[in-house]
């Protein structure tokens, strides 16, 4: 277990467990997380009230070390996307392994990480609501050691930000966002990029510090054609840094992109183009058994699983498992049965999975494990996740804050 380094994170271990945390053994009721960890129980002997989501400690350690070494070898840093797990405990481990900041998508997510003392935040969106900007300005003014950067992709957005930040002591750092046709946010043409950058540089309340983008906005599946499109898009980002060099108000220009599908391509195209190249991969920590198992170029191990008992065998090749859409992701592929070669989940209801058992002997009452496809939409279904070693002993209890 990585020791907590901030008082708010340490305090989580003194909070008592109760019925609000689904899946945990009834015997843990009213115990603190620290007391459970001191006993080092074997989870499945302790009696989880299935289904239960778990993380695998050896895989987490491997993935942290792999990403840290990979980035160090290439001279880039990572600001992992905190929306994936929304767990200050897990981000503390990423920071200890070299992460330079946590990335978030919303002010709500930023507030969670600030409540746990995170000192550097990347807000990967244009922030235009006045209450959110007021909160950010107050945080920056109150703490000189706090740093934050967000995007701009419209002159209108620059105007709204400038107006809302009137009276703030510190300027807000911004990157102009380069978009792609048919993609998500971001300026669509070089002329628009330049216009927005000029507006941001002229704002008395903003400080233009770099260029941002998201290369997988149109595809999360790697192919030769998709990779070629990604390279063209990244070349546009690189060109923008060169074109706008006179407008940046920092000696440490930021160039940031990178989900969990194309980090190698991002490094190939962007490394050396700016003082700081920052990846924002979110799913490398847990990887998965579906979407990223097929797409990630890094040698990562799946760490996130959901376990549940078989509740019915109504037909020879059909087992019903008490795990469904309330418990595991299904937006990027159905759950993957572990240790049952050839078996597959064919459908999910709210609380049931339909398992085609492929001739495996599966009995009512058996506990089965499932890998996920897309970690983000499994994490948000769980408020507390046991971390297990290879013997299924509980070595940490991770809280999430969605």
């Amino acid at each position: 277990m990585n020791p907590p380094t901030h008082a708010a994170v340490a305090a989580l271990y003194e909070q008592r467990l109760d019925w609000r945390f689904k899946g945990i053994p009834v015997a843990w009721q009213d115990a603190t997380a620290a007391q459970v960890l001191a006993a080092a129980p074997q989870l499945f002997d302790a009696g989880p009230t299935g289904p239960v989501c778990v993380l695998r400690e050896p895989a987490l350690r491997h993935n942290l070390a792999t990403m840290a070494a990979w980035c160090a070898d290439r001279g880039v840093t990572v600001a992992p996307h905190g929306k994936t797990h929304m767990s200050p405990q897990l981000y503390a481990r990423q920071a200890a392994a070299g992460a330079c900041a946590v990335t978030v998508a919303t002010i709500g997510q930023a507030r969670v990480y600030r409540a746990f003392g995170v000192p550097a935040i990347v807000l990967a969106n244009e922030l235009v609501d006045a209450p959110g900007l007021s909160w950010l300005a107050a945080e920056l003014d109150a703490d000189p050691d706090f740093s934050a950067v967000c995007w701009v992709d419209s002159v209108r957005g620059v105007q709204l930000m400038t107006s809302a930040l009137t009276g703030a002591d510190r300027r807000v750092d911004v990157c102009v966002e380069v978009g792609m046709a048919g993609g998500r946010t971001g300026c669509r043409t070089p002329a628009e990029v330049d216009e927005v950058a000029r507006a941001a540089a002229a704002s008395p309340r903003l400080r233009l510090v770099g260029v941002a983008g998201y290369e997988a906005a149109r595809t999360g599946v790697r192919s030769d054609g998709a990779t070629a499109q990604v390279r063209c898009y990244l070349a546009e980002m690189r060109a923008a840094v060169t074109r706008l060099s006179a407008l940046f108000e920092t000696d440490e220009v930021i160039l940031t992109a990178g989900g969990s599908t194309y980090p190698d391509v991002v490094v190939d195209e962007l490394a050396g183009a700016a003082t700081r190249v920052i990846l924002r991969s979110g799913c490398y920590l847990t990887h998965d058994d579906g979407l990223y198992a097929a797409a990630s170029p890094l040698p990562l191990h799946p760490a996130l699983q959901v376990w549940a008992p078989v509740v019915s065998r109504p037909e020879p090749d059909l087992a019903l498992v008490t795990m469904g859409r309330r418990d595991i992701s299904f937006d990027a592929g159905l759950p993957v049965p572990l240790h049952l070669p050839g078996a597959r989940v064919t459908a999910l209801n709210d609380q049931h999975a339909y398992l085609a058992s492929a001739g495996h002997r599966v009995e009512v009452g058996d506990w089965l494990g499932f890998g996920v496809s897309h970690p983000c939409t499994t994490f948000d279904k769980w408020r507390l996740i046991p971390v297990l070693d290879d013997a299924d002993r509980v070595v940490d209890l991770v809280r999430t804050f969605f």
Side-chain angles (χ1 to χ4, degrees):
M1 182 179 70
N2 213 47
T5 56
H6 187 271
V9 175
L12 293 176
Y13 292 88
E14 302 306 320
Q15 294 181 6
R16 297 193 177 276
L17 309 180
D18 59 27
W19 48 266
R20 289 173 296 174
F21 304 115
K22 68 178 183 178
I24 67 170
V26 173
W28 295 0
Q29 175 77 22
D30 295 328
T32 67
Q35 289 170 334
V36 171
L37 295 175
Q42 204 275 4
L43 178 65
F44 297 102
D45 288 347
T49 52
V52 61
C53 182
V54 304
L55 287 162
R56 293 292 176 175
E57 174 65 23
L60 291 177
R61 285 201 310 268
H62 169 85
N63 295 345
L64 283 166
T66 297
M67 187 59 150
W70 191 87
C71 288
D73 287 346
R74 290 155 180 81
V76 301
T77 57
V78 62
H81 212 316
K83 71 174 175 61
T84 295
H85 50 64
M86 286 306 296
S87 171
Q89 290 160 281
L90 291 178
Y91 176 68
R93 296 184 63 155
Q94 293 173 303
C100 64
V102 67
T103 297
V104 298
T106 68
I107 280 292
Q109 293 170 2
R111 292 182 66 195
V112 168
Y113 284 104
R114 279 300 286 163
F116 286 86
V118 173
I121 288 177
V122 175
L123 203 162
N125 258 325
E126 184 171 63
L127 179 58
V128 296
D129 64 285
L133 285 161
S134 295
W135 174 85
L136 181 59
E139 288 290 303
L140 288 167
D141 290 350
D143 184 355
D145 295 324
F146 173 46
S147 66
V149 60
C150 65
W151 301 173
V152 287
D153 80 346
S154 66
V155 172
R156 170 66 172 164
V158 169
Q159 293 169 343
L160 289 171
M161 294 178 77
T162 301
S163 176
L165 292 168
T166 299
D169 293 333
R170 290 173 65 184
R171 292 187 293 169
V172 171
D173 289 350
V174 296
C175 290
V176 61
E177 184 183 6
V178 177
M180 60 175 67
R184 203 160 61 188
T185 53
C187 304
R188 293 306 200 249
T189 67
E192 291 175 356
V193 170
D194 295 359
E195 180 185 23
V196 173
R198 286 192 297 269
S203 168
R205 305 290 359 122
L206 304 180
R207 190 172 76 118
L208 184 66
V209 298
V211 172
Y214 178 51
E215 75 287 347
R218 290 183 56 187
T219 176
V221 179
R222 285 181 73 122
S223 66
D224 290 345
T227 301
Q229 291 179 7
V230 166
R231 289 191 185 278
C232 288
Y233 169 70
L234 294 169
E236 292 180 20
M237 289 183 60
R238 186 178 184 123
V241 170
T242 302
R243 203 170 58 246
L244 301 172
S245 59
L247 296 179
F248 297 125
E249 297 183 74
T250 175
D251 294 330
E252 205 172 50
V253 175
I254 293 171
L255 185 53
T256 174
S260 297
T261 302
Y262 295 100
D264 55 334
V265 182
V266 170
V267 170
D268 286 348
E269 296 296 329
L270 300 187
T275 315
R276 295 184 69 194
V277 174
I278 301 175
L279 302 177
R280 304 193 309 276
S281 308
C283 294
Y284 75 87
L285 179 62
T286 63
H287 198 48
D288 71 5
D289 286 284
L291 178 66
Y292 294 111
S296 176
L298 277 66
L300 302 173
H301 296 169
L304 188 62
Q305 303 172 351
V306 176
W307 287 73
V310 175
V311 71
S312 178
R313 282 300 309 269
E315 298 172 13
D317 192 42
L318 175 63
L320 276 296
V321 182
T322 56
M323 171 197 76
R325 294 179 177 222
R326 306 277 184 176
D327 311 303
I328 198 166
S329 53
F330 56 91
D331 58 306
L334 291 170
V336 179
L338 305 174
H339 318 303
L340 296 173
R344 61 190 182 93
V345 172
T346 61
L348 290 177
N349 296 150
D350 280 359
Q351 304 291 180
H352 292 90
Y354 294 72
L355 176 69
S357 57
H360 291 282
R361 186 176 179 84
V362 176
E363 302 291 351
V364 171
D366 288 350
W367 277 77
L368 303 180
F370 296 84
V372 310
S373 181
H374 193 199
C376 297
T377 48
T378 293
F379 269 110
D380 66 2
K381 297 168 173 53
W382 299 89
R383 301 295 175 263
L384 184 141
I385 303 175
V387 181
L388 308 183
D389 66 11
D390 281 337
D392 292 336
R393 288 186 297 264
V394 180
V395 297
D396 202 356
L397 291 168
V398 167
R399 293 282 302 275
T400 68
F401 295 87
F402 286 93

